[in-house]
Amino acid sequence: MKVRFALFVFVTLLLLTGRAHAGNDCASVGVRPFADATPVYVHEAGVHRIFTKKWAASAGMKRYFDQQKQLFNVLKNQQPPEDGKAQLKFGAVGDIMRLPSHQPEFVGEALKEYLETLDLLTGNLETLISSRYPLPPESLFLMNSDPSVLTAFRNDQGWNYFSLISTANNHTYDFGDAAISDTLKVLRKEGVFQSGVQEMAGQKPYVVVEKNGIKIGYYAITTFVNDIKALENSDLHFNPMVKGIEALPFSEWKSVCDIDLSDTDKVLKQMAHDGADIRIISIHWGMEQEMYPRAVQLDIAHELVKQG
């Protein structure tokens, strides 16, 4: 069955409005026209909220969100495909954070009604789900949740609305291997496929599922983890991280020409070989309170599109 599009790159931040630089000319990679004029040190000082109110937003930020509105309107007004053509209604959410207690009803009926209209739903599970550790954890910077953070997304038939989940983020190793294994058990029980961590050597770092006759490949990665020593000592297998855009100050971020994207190139080729009509790369990246992606993130997204 012919599918009209071969690649969809989903990233935690929506990157579809950026402008790709021509060819592979690294000299042309630079700050995008909508780059924020706010000084870098303001962002790095952690006072984003003061300087990112609508009345104080830069012209670049306003232009970016105007472009986002135009994009959403185009997508909303798209006509359905011709009769006989395969189609898929896809939903993606960002970070699914921890619940400090058992809350099986926290997903409202209005949201469930909308989720019923989707063929495929993905999200980033930015919390562990393990009964071995307290709820909530002692630190605000550690993530562990009650299972209802996921089970509340079941429909009336008992199936979870999520089809694909990313377990690749900075909180993956907050509590070590045992907590990760507990989380993977919950996902398996819910019938939700994940990319990010493999329990055995040789397992594929991505998953391929089929919906409406369309095969979707899904590969999740992050730019850093909070506890790098726990990762280095882990018996599990974590998807390779994108290095070079993970730490402050921003002045030390590498350009796309200096970042190794060979792992994603290899995975995209493997997913294509497995027959994936749509290939999704989910990246957990960026900084707290950043209102839109930085230029290098847009450049990386375009490089991933070029990879196929």
Side-chain angles (χ1 to χ4, degrees):
M1 183 177 293
K2 184 177 180 181
V3 180
R4 294 190 301 172
F5 45 97
L7 173 68
F8 179 89
V9 176
F10 166 70
V11 291
T12 306
L13 297 171
L14 191 60
L15 301 178
L16 297 179
T17 57
R19 301 179 184 177
H21 56 274
N24 293 316
D25 181 10
C26 289
S28 66
V29 178
V31 178
R32 290 290 174 266
F34 53 81
D36 193 358
T38 306
V40 169
Y41 73 85
V42 170
H43 293 276
E44 295 175 355
V47 291
H48 313 265
R49 293 176 183 173
I50 298 175
F51 293 92
T52 54
K53 300 297 184 183
K54 186 174 181 180
W55 57 266
S58 68
M61 182 181 290
K62 292 177 181 177
R63 184 160 55 251
Y64 175 80
F65 283 103
D66 285 342
Q67 292 172 338
Q68 292 286 282
K69 290 178 182 178
Q70 293 173 19
L71 171 64
F72 291 144
N73 285 332
V74 169
L75 295 175
K76 183 175 67 175
N77 296 324
Q78 275 189 328
Q79 297 299 314
E82 301 172 9
D83 291 342
K85 296 286 187 179
Q87 57 180 311
L88 180 75
K89 189 170 183 180
F90 173 84
V93 302
D95 300 340
I96 306 165
M97 308 300 286
R98 71 186 186 190
L99 281 182
S101 60
H102 186 58
Q103 300 180 40
E105 306 296 333
F106 88 93
V107 179
E109 290 303 317
L111 177 56
K112 286 187 175 183
E113 288 179 9
Y114 174 74
L115 296 179
E116 285 285 350
T117 69
L118 302 177
D119 298 305
L120 189 78
L121 179 64
T122 74
N124 170 53
L125 185 62
E126 196 162 9
T127 180
L128 294 151
I129 304 175
S130 176
S131 60
R132 303 169 193 260
Y133 299 95
L135 299 176
E138 294 179 0
S139 171
L140 292 174
F141 302 101
L142 299 176
M143 293 291 169
N144 187 34
S145 179
D146 182 85
S148 57
V149 71
L150 193 63
T151 59
F153 284 92
R154 292 174 182 168
N155 62 19
D156 292 339
Q157 290 74 45
W159 294 96
N160 203 288
Y161 288 113
F162 283 102
S163 301
L164 302 166
I165 282 288
S166 166
T167 54
N169 56 70
N170 55 300
H171 289 285
T172 303
Y173 278 89
D174 279 1
F175 293 96
D177 286 9
I180 297 173
S181 294
D182 291 343
T183 305
L184 298 183
K185 288 178 183 177
V186 174
L187 288 167
R188 284 194 294 268
K189 185 177 179 180
E190 290 298 303
V192 179
F193 295 96
Q194 66 86 25
S195 174
V197 182
Q198 299 85 54
E199 293 183 284
M200 295 183 294
Q203 285 183 299
K204 292 181 178 180
Y206 60 90
V207 294
V208 177
V209 299
E210 186 170 341
K211 296 284 184 178
N212 301 347
I214 301 173
K215 288 186 176 181
I216 304 99
Y218 182 76
Y219 178 62
I221 50 180
T222 184
T223 58
F224 74 103
V225 295
N226 293 341
D227 192 340
I228 192 66
K229 289 185 178 179
L231 170 60
E232 292 172 347
N233 296 324
S234 176
D235 291 326
L236 303 173
H237 304 273
F238 195 57
N239 286 352
M241 293 185 286
V242 177
K243 296 293 187 65
I245 58 168
E246 69 275 14
L248 295 175
F250 292 118
S251 58
E252 295 182 3
W253 279 24
K254 295 181 179 180
S255 76
V256 67
C257 300
D258 299 319
I259 293 175
D260 183 4
L261 297 176
S262 59
D263 289 313
T264 57
D265 185 49
K266 179 180 178 181
V267 167
L268 285 166
K269 287 180 170 61
Q270 290 174 336
M271 289 195 292
H273 182 266
D274 287 348
D277 303 298
I278 302 172
R279 297 177 286 282
I280 301 172
I281 304 293
S282 176
I283 309 178
H284 187 70
W285 59 1
M287 291 293 168
E288 299 289 346
Q289 306 299 325
E290 285 280 297
M291 300 300 291
Y292 56 85
R294 289 179 170 263
V296 66
Q297 292 172 284
L298 294 171
D299 291 328
I300 291 172
H302 288 299
E303 287 301 316
L304 295 178
V305 172
K306 291 177 185 178
Q307 286 181 348

